[in-house]
Amino acid sequence: MPLIHENKFVPDHWQRLADDQPVPADGKIIIPLQRLDEARQVRGNELSSIGIHLANIARIDDVIPFLSSLQLISIAFPAFSDGRGFSLAKRLRRLGFKGTLRAHGPLIADQYPHALACGFDEIEISESHALRHREAHWRAATGSISLGYQRGYVRSGTILDRRAASRRA
């Protein structure tokens, strides 16, 4: 599946395991949170090569104990119109997750600036989706929003901050 990172398509070095696929002894894998205990039995307590995949309705309390150990968290977007994954990403960043946050699903290029502002690092889309939303679209969308009303993780300051500063000047 194509991966958008820093405004371009890049190779994906992570393997997303199917539910029935056994956990390999090495390599970077993405598994559902429910399979984390199984992966730890195979690999020990080293979680740096294990990423977890969360539904956009996941309970954040189930993830908190692992935030400092995980290198990647993938969040499902079942539809581009379902924005619950954005809220989940912001909560994970506010709780101190420093690893890679990946959106997984049919997001469109217009949503890329918002995804970055919510703390996502990359977006994984299907091959068919990439044919309709080419790399140039993602690149063009990056600079389309320079200010917002909400503080984000990419841009500093908001429209309201700028207004307040201009009043003081």
Side-chain angles (χ1 to χ4, degrees):
M1 292 185 113
L3 186 65
I4 299 105
H5 183 83
E6 296 182 352
N7 312 328
K8 60 184 177 279
F9 290 158
V10 297
D12 189 356
H13 301 291
W14 291 81
Q15 177 188 4
R16 186 174 298 276
L17 295 185
D19 289 341
D20 60 345
Q21 197 172 354
V23 174
D26 59 358
K28 293 182 173 189
I29 59 170
I30 301 173
I31 57 173
L33 179 61
Q34 299 83 345
R35 293 189 68 189
L36 189 56
D37 287 338
E38 174 190 351
R40 290 169 78 184
Q41 288 175 358
V42 172
R43 296 185 173 203
N45 285 330
E46 178 57 42
L47 299 180
S48 64
S49 63
I50 298 174
I52 60 168
H53 181 67
L54 299 175
N56 63 353
I57 57 169
R59 288 176 22 105
I60 200 94
D61 295 341
D62 297 339
V63 183
I64 290 174
F66 310 108
L67 290 182
S68 62
S69 305
L70 292 168
Q71 188 177 351
L72 181 136
I73 296 177
S74 170
I75 298 174
F77 280 81
F80 80 93
S81 59
D82 187 341
R84 292 175 288 183
F86 294 124
S87 300
L88 185 56
K90 285 187 92 161
R91 290 182 66 204
L92 288 168
R93 289 296 188 207
R94 285 185 180 141
L95 288 169
F97 181 64
K98 302 279 189 240
T100 301
L101 266 181
R102 177 185 289 194
H104 176 260
L107 293 180
I108 58 175
D110 291 348
Q111 293 171 304
Y112 192 41
H114 185 62
L116 294 173
C118 288
F120 281 106
D121 300 293
E122 54 196 29
I123 298 175
E124 180 182 353
I125 59 175
S126 68
E127 295 287 342
S128 62
H129 204 67
L131 292 174
R132 288 179 294 160
H133 300 276
R134 300 185 187 279
E135 186 176 308
H137 300 147
W138 297 93
R139 209 174 16 257
T142 303
S144 65
I145 300 174
S146 58
L147 288 173
Y149 284 100
Q150 296 176 326
R151 284 185 177 80
Y153 292 92
V154 175
R155 56 182 179 250
S156 60
T158 66
I159 292 170
L160 301 174
D161 294 335
R162 293 253 176 118
R163 269 191 211 154
S166 69
R167 283 189 207 123
R168 287 191 299 267

